[in-house]
Amino acid sequence: MNSTKPLSLPRYRWPGGVRTGVWFLLVALLCLPFADLDVSSLDPWREIGRMLQGVISPQLMDPVLVTEALLATLAFAFAGVALAVICGFLLALMFHNLLVRAICALIRSIHELFWALIFLQFFGLHPLTGLLAIAVPYCGIFARMYAEIFDQVATQPEKALPVGSGFFSALLYTRLPQAWPHLVSYTSYRLECGIRSSAILGFVGLPTLGYYLESSFSQGYYSEVAGLMILFYLLIATKKLWLRRWTLPLFLLGSPFFMGSGMPIIWGNVGRFFSQDIIPAPLRSGDASLHSLVDWAGTIVMDQALPGVWNTLLLSQIALVVTGLFALLFFPLINRYCFDTVGRIPGHIFLVVARSTPEYLLAYILLQLLGPSMLPAVIALAIHNGALIGYLTGRNSNEIRLRPDAPERRTDRYFYELLPRSYPAFLSFMLYRWEVIMRETAILGILGIQTIGFFVDSAIQEIRFDVALLLILIAAMMNILVDLLARRIQLHP
Amino acid sequence: MLRILIRGLFLMLLAGAVNAAPVFVFTAIPDQDETQLKQRFQKVADYLQQELKTEVRFIPVKSYAASITAFRNNQVQLAWFGGLSGVQARELVPGSRAVAQGVEDPEFKSFFIANTSTGISPSDHLPESLRGLTFTFGSKGSTSGRLMPEYNLREQFGIGPDELFSRVGFSGNHSRTIALVESGAYQVGALNYKVWETAVAEGKVDTSKVQVIWETPTYPDYQWSVRGDLDAVYGDGFTARLEKALLEMNDPELLNSFPRSGFIPASNDDFEPVRKVARQVGLLD
């Protein structure tokens, strides 16, 4: 009964990861014709020249002010992250609850600058504004990551516990010890993000580094900017030296005292914000009807949300692909099969500087140089995120063991060995980063690029907080959708 | 760690409560270079402190909206607003009043400036050749850098700036508008005429690269606005003394830093034209 099977050539199928990458590439190429990528500045070189002059002649402004700003930057970061760690940890324990998961998804999908703009409306320039602007979104992030870490620990030890051991014993004796190193390393990474976020909060008026960066920048005092930036890089690069187990309590205890005093809080303002300011305008006025509410929302969606969402999508998809290309270009710089120990030093320095510079700040600088369009935003997002993913991919690629017959030439080794074997890890970093890039893209609107942040900022400038909140929620929904999509692709590439 | 944090929060709130002792705080819209603003308003703070015999503090903010919010939230009691921000702020704070304005403010105007590479020359109307160029306002909430220029553009061309120009931006403040049009990042811009004149007088503008091409009709602009509840906090007659002090600012150095030749009384009604225009343009409900 056995007949010979007709001989058929196996059909070649592209690995799923490669197909995913190609899809993203195609989408970005489709976006290109619609995106505004002009260099509109007539003479960018003059400004670049002035900036370079500033870089080679860095200057410290008033040392007292700078020290205060640095301390405030650290204070907001430490206190904000600490509060987020506590709340995030507690929420992580309840993460199986759908409501908790939804709340966490919502609060982390709203960017810390948006949170700051919201808190500013009723707390004003009070330390609480900065503290909560970091703590609230980070709490949502911690809850999710901690929950994922807890899910990955082995369950056998828990089963070995005596019958009747409670939830807390199980947590304390089995899950926590196993998860601990991962929790610590993730929290430490987040602290670095917190320092960056804290610095950026200065752009809306809190007394951190960004406050002085914005002032000096907008007035063209590039030497002062260079001085501040160098301090900031040193602060981040030396984190391992000053952040020790025994210094941590000092920072935490000290942080409440270095946030500046700001203006007093008046609690009546908080009530007013929630009971009046954010209530849609038609509901506040006399003729509250479903019709007027639909009209109101319809106008906002058509005139502001849709163009904002469209531009945010265009920009973030292009930025995502350029980020990926940059990361693939950058990661060999720190790969041990490409460069020797000394040769990797410049690469490491470049990647530290690029990933420590917040994209908001980079975009701000590039906008001054290249003029207003999406181009500076794409470059800024790609440099910062490309350096970050390049660093992660590079670290990952150092664990690869070359096959004995691996090519000798560096380019061959990269294309035939390192690239294919690093690609799955790279893709998964990128998918994680997708949502972050989208969130940052929205925020860059505050700088004048017409993503959804631009319309949020306009609404706030027009003292229309109902509109601002609606737009912020729309931006949040976008981020949540992208996050869901990214995880789906992650599971079934 | 929780206890530390709670203690920290408590201390912060306590610090807030202690600060609530009546220090008189004022702010101003960040309409031009911050260094200049800080110098100017520090002088004003010193002067007011001397006149009012109470501690006076100036708080700089980063946006027009932030100054309005601070005024509304009673975190500042006095503010140097533009025409539009004043109208917005007083609408939100019942009982608040415009009390003083610069001698020049009832007849304020905006300049339209253009990069010389556009070839547009000064004239007595907005030229047709503006169509399709790139254009920058100042801050989104500015009267002289946004509201009035937008109003005049709409009057002249019958369409909004988004349709008229190939690209519309917001530089953030008047000083940046000059810098951006001078560098060519934008071809045309509109700004506060006082900031332009001061910058030119101080030699900060390369007039071979950027020049004034049109000036708007006049309108009322900047003013000092106070909240209505000052006397209850700072004692009877405080508002009257404050008004008097503002009107009597006559130190030439102080006036020059604004720059205004003096201060005259103002009332809410003086800014009715601004409110009308803001409604028409859609910046006010």
Side-chain angles (χ1 to χ4, degrees), chain A residues 42-71:
Chain A
L42 283 183
D43 188 8
W45 294 109
R46 204 172 68 123
E47 206 65 13
I48 291 177
R50 290 187 48 214
M51 243 178 230
L52 287 180
Q53 243 173 13
V55 173
I56 52 173
S57 60
Q59 217 178 54
L60 263 196
M61 34 192 292
D62 185 355
V64 178
L65 281 184
V66 172
T67 317
E68 269 177 17
L70 274 180
L71 287 173

PDB file of all heavy atoms in Angstrom, chain A residues 42-71:
ATOM      1  N   LEU A  42      16.346  77.996   7.227  1.00  0.00           N
ATOM      2  CA  LEU A  42      17.121  78.420   6.065  1.00  0.00           C
ATOM      3  C   LEU A  42      18.600  78.179   6.283  1.00  0.00           C
ATOM      4  O   LEU A  42      19.338  77.821   5.395  1.00  0.00           O
ATOM      5  CB  LEU A  42      16.909  79.917   5.808  1.00  0.00           C
ATOM      6  CG  LEU A  42      15.608  80.328   5.151  1.00  0.00           C
ATOM      7  CD1 LEU A  42      15.619  81.818   4.926  1.00  0.00           C
ATOM      8  CD2 LEU A  42      15.434  79.586   3.847  1.00  0.00           C
ATOM      9  N   ASP A  43      19.015  78.421   7.509  1.00  0.00           N
ATOM     10  CA  ASP A  43      20.446  78.425   7.769  1.00  0.00           C
ATOM     11  C   ASP A  43      20.730  77.670   9.061  1.00  0.00           C
ATOM     12  O   ASP A  43      21.131  78.263  10.059  1.00  0.00           O
ATOM     13  CB  ASP A  43      20.914  79.883   7.876  1.00  0.00           C
ATOM     14  CG  ASP A  43      22.415  79.965   7.952  1.00  0.00           C
ATOM     15  OD1 ASP A  43      23.067  78.919   7.778  1.00  0.00           O
ATOM     16  OD2 ASP A  43      22.935  81.055   8.208  1.00  0.00           O
ATOM     17  N   PRO A  44      20.491  76.344   9.061  1.00  0.00           N
ATOM     18  CA  PRO A  44      20.695  75.619  10.317  1.00  0.00           C
ATOM     19  C   PRO A  44      22.147  75.650  10.771  1.00  0.00           C
ATOM     20  O   PRO A  44      22.434  75.545  11.955  1.00  0.00           O
ATOM     21  CB  PRO A  44      20.247  74.193   9.990  1.00  0.00           C
ATOM     22  CG  PRO A  44      20.257  74.088   8.522  1.00  0.00           C
ATOM     23  CD  PRO A  44      20.075  75.461   7.968  1.00  0.00           C
ATOM     24  N   TRP A  45      23.069  75.813   9.823  1.00  0.00           N
ATOM     25  CA  TRP A  45      24.483  75.707  10.193  1.00  0.00           C
ATOM     26  C   TRP A  45      24.925  76.787  11.152  1.00  0.00           C
ATOM     27  O   TRP A  45      25.777  76.572  12.008  1.00  0.00           O
ATOM     28  CB  TRP A  45      25.362  75.703   8.939  1.00  0.00           C
ATOM     29  CG  TRP A  45      25.113  74.469   8.156  1.00  0.00           C
ATOM     30  CD1 TRP A  45      24.473  74.387   6.958  1.00  0.00           C
ATOM     31  CD2 TRP A  45      25.426  73.130   8.545  1.00  0.00           C
ATOM     32  NE1 TRP A  45      24.377  73.066   6.577  1.00  0.00           N
ATOM     33  CE2 TRP A  45      24.958  72.274   7.531  1.00  0.00           C
ATOM     34  CE3 TRP A  45      26.051  72.566   9.657  1.00  0.00           C
ATOM     35  CZ2 TRP A  45      25.092  70.893   7.592  1.00  0.00           C
ATOM     36  CZ3 TRP A  45      26.198  71.186   9.717  1.00  0.00           C
ATOM     37  CH2 TRP A  45      25.720  70.364   8.694  1.00  0.00           C
ATOM     38  N   ARG A  46      24.335  77.981  11.011  1.00  0.00           N
ATOM     39  CA  ARG A  46      24.727  79.070  11.890  1.00  0.00           C
ATOM     40  C   ARG A  46      24.396  78.706  13.343  1.00  0.00           C
ATOM     41  O   ARG A  46      25.215  78.858  14.242  1.00  0.00           O
ATOM     42  CB  ARG A  46      23.982  80.339  11.494  1.00  0.00           C
ATOM     43  CG  ARG A  46      24.691  81.604  11.917  1.00  0.00           C
ATOM     44  CD  ARG A  46      23.987  82.798  11.309  1.00  0.00           C
ATOM     45  NE  ARG A  46      22.658  82.945  11.919  1.00  0.00           N
ATOM     46  CZ  ARG A  46      22.271  84.058  12.540  1.00  0.00           C
ATOM     47  NH1 ARG A  46      23.071  85.081  12.645  1.00  0.00           N
ATOM     48  NH2 ARG A  46      21.059  84.148  13.061  1.00  0.00           N
ATOM     49  N   GLU A  47      23.163  78.180  13.537  1.00  0.00           N
ATOM     50  CA  GLU A  47      22.742  77.832  14.883  1.00  0.00           C
ATOM     51  C   GLU A  47      23.539  76.628  15.391  1.00  0.00           C
ATOM     52  O   GLU A  47      23.933  76.582  16.555  1.00  0.00           O
ATOM     53  CB  GLU A  47      21.235  77.522  14.868  1.00  0.00           C
ATOM     54  CG  GLU A  47      20.514  77.731  16.187  1.00  0.00           C
ATOM     55  CD  GLU A  47      20.479  79.178  16.653  1.00  0.00           C
ATOM     56  OE1 GLU A  47      20.795  80.089  15.854  1.00  0.00           O
ATOM     57  OE2 GLU A  47      20.146  79.385  17.839  1.00  0.00           O
ATOM     58  N   ILE A  48      23.815  75.670  14.492  1.00  0.00           N
ATOM     59  CA  ILE A  48      24.617  74.509  14.898  1.00  0.00           C
ATOM     60  C   ILE A  48      25.998  74.984  15.334  1.00  0.00           C
ATOM     61  O   ILE A  48      26.539  74.531  16.349  1.00  0.00           O
ATOM     62  CB  ILE A  48      24.729  73.494  13.732  1.00  0.00           C
ATOM     63  CG1 ILE A  48      23.363  72.857  13.484  1.00  0.00           C
ATOM     64  CG2 ILE A  48      25.758  72.410  14.055  1.00  0.00           C
ATOM     65  CD1 ILE A  48      23.322  71.900  12.325  1.00  0.00           C
ATOM     66  N   GLY A  49      26.546  75.938  14.595  1.00  0.00           N
ATOM     67  CA  GLY A  49      27.859  76.494  14.946  1.00  0.00           C
ATOM     68  C   GLY A  49      27.838  77.093  16.336  1.00  0.00           C
ATOM     69  O   GLY A  49      28.721  76.834  17.160  1.00  0.00           O
ATOM     70  N   ARG A  50      26.792  77.874  16.621  1.00  0.00           N
ATOM     71  CA  ARG A  50      26.698  78.517  17.938  1.00  0.00           C
ATOM     72  C   ARG A  50      26.565  77.466  19.030  1.00  0.00           C
ATOM     73  O   ARG A  50      27.124  77.599  20.112  1.00  0.00           O
ATOM     74  CB  ARG A  50      25.497  79.464  17.975  1.00  0.00           C
ATOM     75  CG  ARG A  50      25.694  80.704  17.100  1.00  0.00           C
ATOM     76  CD  ARG A  50      24.574  81.699  17.298  1.00  0.00           C
ATOM     77  NE  ARG A  50      24.310  81.932  18.713  1.00  0.00           N
ATOM     78  CZ  ARG A  50      23.118  82.184  19.217  1.00  0.00           C
ATOM     79  NH1 ARG A  50      22.078  82.228  18.431  1.00  0.00           N
ATOM     80  NH2 ARG A  50      22.964  82.382  20.507  1.00  0.00           N
ATOM     81  N   MET A  51      25.820  76.400  18.712  1.00  0.00           N
ATOM     82  CA  MET A  51      25.634  75.358  19.710  1.00  0.00           C
ATOM     83  C   MET A  51      26.940  74.631  19.996  1.00  0.00           C
ATOM     84  O   MET A  51      27.286  74.364  21.134  1.00  0.00           O
ATOM     85  CB  MET A  51      24.597  74.359  19.218  1.00  0.00           C
ATOM     86  CG  MET A  51      23.378  74.328  20.092  1.00  0.00           C
ATOM     87  SD  MET A  51      22.183  73.199  19.437  1.00  0.00           S
ATOM     88  CE  MET A  51      20.752  74.233  19.467  1.00  0.00           C
ATOM     89  N   LEU A  52      27.700  74.340  18.911  1.00  0.00           N
ATOM     90  CA  LEU A  52      28.978  73.648  19.099  1.00  0.00           C
ATOM     91  C   LEU A  52      29.923  74.510  19.918  1.00  0.00           C
ATOM     92  O   LEU A  52      30.655  74.018  20.783  1.00  0.00           O
ATOM     93  CB  LEU A  52      29.605  73.316  17.744  1.00  0.00           C
ATOM     94  CG  LEU A  52      28.903  72.172  17.014  1.00  0.00           C
ATOM     95  CD1 LEU A  52      29.565  71.902  15.674  1.00  0.00           C
ATOM     96  CD2 LEU A  52      28.916  70.906  17.876  1.00  0.00           C
ATOM     97  N   GLN A  53      29.879  75.815  19.637  1.00  0.00           N
ATOM     98  CA  GLN A  53      30.698  76.729  20.424  1.00  0.00           C
ATOM     99  C   GLN A  53      30.353  76.594  21.906  1.00  0.00           C
ATOM    100  O   GLN A  53      31.236  76.604  22.764  1.00  0.00           O
ATOM    101  CB  GLN A  53      30.429  78.168  19.982  1.00  0.00           C
ATOM    102  CG  GLN A  53      31.630  78.834  19.400  1.00  0.00           C
ATOM    103  CD  GLN A  53      31.263  80.184  18.819  1.00  0.00           C
ATOM    104  OE1 GLN A  53      30.170  80.713  19.072  1.00  0.00           O
ATOM    105  NE2 GLN A  53      32.152  80.753  18.050  1.00  0.00           N
ATOM    106  N   GLY A  54      29.053  76.494  22.170  1.00  0.00           N
ATOM    107  CA  GLY A  54      28.610  76.325  23.551  1.00  0.00           C
ATOM    108  C   GLY A  54      29.145  75.033  24.145  1.00  0.00           C
ATOM    109  O   GLY A  54      29.609  75.005  25.279  1.00  0.00           O
ATOM    110  N   VAL A  55      29.124  73.965  23.335  1.00  0.00           N
ATOM    111  CA  VAL A  55      29.565  72.670  23.844  1.00  0.00           C
ATOM    112  C   VAL A  55      31.040  72.694  24.216  1.00  0.00           C
ATOM    113  O   VAL A  55      31.453  72.108  25.223  1.00  0.00           O
ATOM    114  CB  VAL A  55      29.296  71.560  22.794  1.00  0.00           C
ATOM    115  CG1 VAL A  55      29.903  70.244  23.238  1.00  0.00           C
ATOM    116  CG2 VAL A  55      27.806  71.407  22.584  1.00  0.00           C
ATOM    117  N   ILE A  56      31.856  73.415  23.403  1.00  0.00           N
ATOM    118  CA  ILE A  56      33.284  73.408  23.739  1.00  0.00           C
ATOM    119  C   ILE A  56      33.627  74.445  24.804  1.00  0.00           C
ATOM    120  O   ILE A  56      34.737  74.458  25.319  1.00  0.00           O
ATOM    121  CB  ILE A  56      34.182  73.625  22.493  1.00  0.00           C
ATOM    122  CG1 ILE A  56      33.738  74.854  21.729  1.00  0.00           C
ATOM    123  CG2 ILE A  56      34.175  72.397  21.597  1.00  0.00           C
ATOM    124  CD1 ILE A  56      34.667  75.221  20.606  1.00  0.00           C
ATOM    125  N   SER A  57      32.687  75.305  25.145  1.00  0.00           N
ATOM    126  CA  SER A  57      32.976  76.246  26.234  1.00  0.00           C
ATOM    127  C   SER A  57      31.871  76.182  27.278  1.00  0.00           C
ATOM    128  O   SER A  57      31.168  77.145  27.514  1.00  0.00           O
ATOM    129  CB  SER A  57      33.086  77.669  25.689  1.00  0.00           C
ATOM    130  OG  SER A  57      31.860  78.025  25.084  1.00  0.00           O
ATOM    131  N   PRO A  58      31.705  74.976  27.904  1.00  0.00           N
ATOM    132  CA  PRO A  58      30.609  74.851  28.860  1.00  0.00           C
ATOM    133  C   PRO A  58      30.802  75.788  30.036  1.00  0.00           C
ATOM    134  O   PRO A  58      31.935  76.105  30.412  1.00  0.00           O
ATOM    135  CB  PRO A  58      30.680  73.394  29.309  1.00  0.00           C
ATOM    136  CG  PRO A  58      32.057  72.964  29.017  1.00  0.00           C
ATOM    137  CD  PRO A  58      32.530  73.772  27.859  1.00  0.00           C
ATOM    138  N   GLN A  59      29.702  76.230  30.588  1.00  0.00           N
ATOM    139  CA  GLN A  59      29.769  77.236  31.635  1.00  0.00           C
ATOM    140  C   GLN A  59      28.748  76.845  32.682  1.00  0.00           C
ATOM    141  O   GLN A  59      27.670  76.379  32.346  1.00  0.00           O
ATOM    142  CB  GLN A  59      29.330  78.559  31.014  1.00  0.00           C
ATOM    143  CG  GLN A  59      30.076  79.750  31.524  1.00  0.00           C
ATOM    144  CD  GLN A  59      29.576  80.989  30.800  1.00  0.00           C
ATOM    145  OE1 GLN A  59      28.376  81.252  30.790  1.00  0.00           O
ATOM    146  NE2 GLN A  59      30.463  81.705  30.156  1.00  0.00           N
ATOM    147  N   LEU A  60      29.101  77.026  33.930  1.00  0.00           N
ATOM    148  CA  LEU A  60      28.126  76.742  34.966  1.00  0.00           C
ATOM    149  C   LEU A  60      27.445  78.041  35.345  1.00  0.00           C
ATOM    150  O   LEU A  60      28.107  79.029  35.640  1.00  0.00           O
ATOM    151  CB  LEU A  60      28.812  76.142  36.183  1.00  0.00           C
ATOM    152  CG  LEU A  60      28.765  74.621  36.267  1.00  0.00           C
ATOM    153  CD1 LEU A  60      29.110  74.180  37.650  1.00  0.00           C
ATOM    154  CD2 LEU A  60      27.387  74.094  35.879  1.00  0.00           C
ATOM    155  N   MET A  61      26.118  78.025  35.333  1.00  0.00           N
ATOM    156  CA  MET A  61      25.430  79.203  35.836  1.00  0.00           C
ATOM    157  C   MET A  61      25.537  79.173  37.357  1.00  0.00           C
ATOM    158  O   MET A  61      26.213  78.319  37.904  1.00  0.00           O
ATOM    159  CB  MET A  61      23.988  79.231  35.363  1.00  0.00           C
ATOM    160  CG  MET A  61      23.354  77.866  35.242  1.00  0.00           C
ATOM    161  SD  MET A  61      21.810  77.883  34.378  1.00  0.00           S
ATOM    162  CE  MET A  61      20.789  78.758  35.532  1.00  0.00           C
ATOM    163  N   ASP A  62      24.903  80.083  38.011  1.00  0.00           N
ATOM    164  CA  ASP A  62      24.949  80.196  39.461  1.00  0.00           C
ATOM    165  C   ASP A  62      25.012  78.817  40.146  1.00  0.00           C
ATOM    166  O   ASP A  62      24.058  78.054  40.079  1.00  0.00           O
ATOM    167  CB  ASP A  62      23.678  80.946  39.897  1.00  0.00           C
ATOM    168  CG  ASP A  62      23.687  81.228  41.379  1.00  0.00           C
ATOM    169  OD1 ASP A  62      24.626  80.758  42.039  1.00  0.00           O
ATOM    170  OD2 ASP A  62      22.766  81.920  41.844  1.00  0.00           O
ATOM    171  N   PRO A  63      26.152  78.482  40.782  1.00  0.00           N
ATOM    172  CA  PRO A  63      26.299  77.126  41.332  1.00  0.00           C
ATOM    173  C   PRO A  63      25.235  76.784  42.379  1.00  0.00           C
ATOM    174  O   PRO A  63      24.849  75.616  42.501  1.00  0.00           O
ATOM    175  CB  PRO A  63      27.693  77.126  41.962  1.00  0.00           C
ATOM    176  CG  PRO A  63      28.194  78.517  41.900  1.00  0.00           C
ATOM    177  CD  PRO A  63      27.362  79.297  40.950  1.00  0.00           C
ATOM    178  N   VAL A  64      24.758  77.778  43.121  1.00  0.00           N
ATOM    179  CA  VAL A  64      23.730  77.493  44.118  1.00  0.00           C
ATOM    180  C   VAL A  64      22.452  77.015  43.422  1.00  0.00           C
ATOM    181  O   VAL A  64      21.851  76.003  43.788  1.00  0.00           O
ATOM    182  CB  VAL A  64      23.429  78.744  44.975  1.00  0.00           C
ATOM    183  CG1 VAL A  64      22.326  78.441  45.974  1.00  0.00           C
ATOM    184  CG2 VAL A  64      24.677  79.224  45.672  1.00  0.00           C
ATOM    185  N   LEU A  65      22.068  77.758  42.369  1.00  0.00           N
ATOM    186  CA  LEU A  65      20.863  77.382  41.621  1.00  0.00           C
ATOM    187  C   LEU A  65      21.003  75.996  41.013  1.00  0.00           C
ATOM    188  O   LEU A  65      20.082  75.178  41.074  1.00  0.00           O
ATOM    189  CB  LEU A  65      20.621  78.387  40.482  1.00  0.00           C
ATOM    190  CG  LEU A  65      19.981  79.709  40.839  1.00  0.00           C
ATOM    191  CD1 LEU A  65      19.723  80.522  39.588  1.00  0.00           C
ATOM    192  CD2 LEU A  65      18.662  79.446  41.566  1.00  0.00           C
ATOM    193  N   VAL A  66      22.183  75.732  40.436  1.00  0.00           N
ATOM    194  CA  VAL A  66      22.389  74.451  39.775  1.00  0.00           C
ATOM    195  C   VAL A  66      22.317  73.311  40.792  1.00  0.00           C
ATOM    196  O   VAL A  66      21.681  72.287  40.547  1.00  0.00           O
ATOM    197  CB  VAL A  66      23.744  74.431  39.049  1.00  0.00           C
ATOM    198  CG1 VAL A  66      24.044  73.037  38.529  1.00  0.00           C
ATOM    199  CG2 VAL A  66      23.734  75.413  37.905  1.00  0.00           C
ATOM    200  N   THR A  67      22.963  73.507  41.948  1.00  0.00           N
ATOM    201  CA  THR A  67      22.921  72.462  42.970  1.00  0.00           C
ATOM    202  C   THR A  67      21.491  72.215  43.412  1.00  0.00           C
ATOM    203  O   THR A  67      21.050  71.066  43.540  1.00  0.00           O
ATOM    204  CB  THR A  67      23.761  72.888  44.195  1.00  0.00           C
ATOM    205  OG1 THR A  67      24.971  73.463  43.724  1.00  0.00           O
ATOM    206  CG2 THR A  67      24.063  71.714  45.080  1.00  0.00           C
ATOM    207  N   GLU A  68      20.760  73.306  43.632  1.00  0.00           N
ATOM    208  CA  GLU A  68      19.353  73.158  44.030  1.00  0.00           C
ATOM    209  C   GLU A  68      18.574  72.374  42.985  1.00  0.00           C
ATOM    210  O   GLU A  68      17.789  71.484  43.310  1.00  0.00           O
ATOM    211  CB  GLU A  68      18.705  74.530  44.182  1.00  0.00           C
ATOM    212  CG  GLU A  68      18.803  75.085  45.588  1.00  0.00           C
ATOM    213  CD  GLU A  68      18.208  76.496  45.650  1.00  0.00           C
ATOM    214  OE1 GLU A  68      17.453  76.889  44.732  1.00  0.00           O
ATOM    215  OE2 GLU A  68      18.521  77.195  46.612  1.00  0.00           O
ATOM    216  N   ALA A  69      18.826  72.718  41.715  1.00  0.00           N
ATOM    217  CA  ALA A  69      18.089  72.055  40.635  1.00  0.00           C
ATOM    218  C   ALA A  69      18.447  70.571  40.575  1.00  0.00           C
ATOM    219  O   ALA A  69      17.572  69.723  40.396  1.00  0.00           O
ATOM    220  CB  ALA A  69      18.391  72.726  39.299  1.00  0.00           C
ATOM    221  N   LEU A  70      19.741  70.259  40.734  1.00  0.00           N
ATOM    222  CA  LEU A  70      20.160  68.856  40.708  1.00  0.00           C
ATOM    223  C   LEU A  70      19.519  68.090  41.856  1.00  0.00           C
ATOM    224  O   LEU A  70      18.997  66.988  41.667  1.00  0.00           O
ATOM    225  CB  LEU A  70      21.677  68.755  40.838  1.00  0.00           C
ATOM    226  CG  LEU A  70      22.491  68.862  39.554  1.00  0.00           C
ATOM    227  CD1 LEU A  70      23.969  68.742  39.861  1.00  0.00           C
ATOM    228  CD2 LEU A  70      22.071  67.781  38.578  1.00  0.00           C
ATOM    229  N   LEU A  71      19.555  68.692  43.043  1.00  0.00           N
ATOM    230  CA  LEU A  71      18.968  68.018  44.206  1.00  0.00           C
ATOM    231  C   LEU A  71      17.469  67.835  44.018  1.00  0.00           C
ATOM    232  O   LEU A  71      16.915  66.783  44.340  1.00  0.00           O
ATOM    233  CB  LEU A  71      19.255  68.812  45.478  1.00  0.00           C
ATOM    234  CG  LEU A  71      20.711  68.725  45.958  1.00  0.00           C
ATOM    235  CD1 LEU A  71      20.959  69.667  47.121  1.00  0.00           C
ATOM    236  CD2 LEU A  71      21.039  67.291  46.359  1.00  0.00           C
TER     237      LEU A  71
END
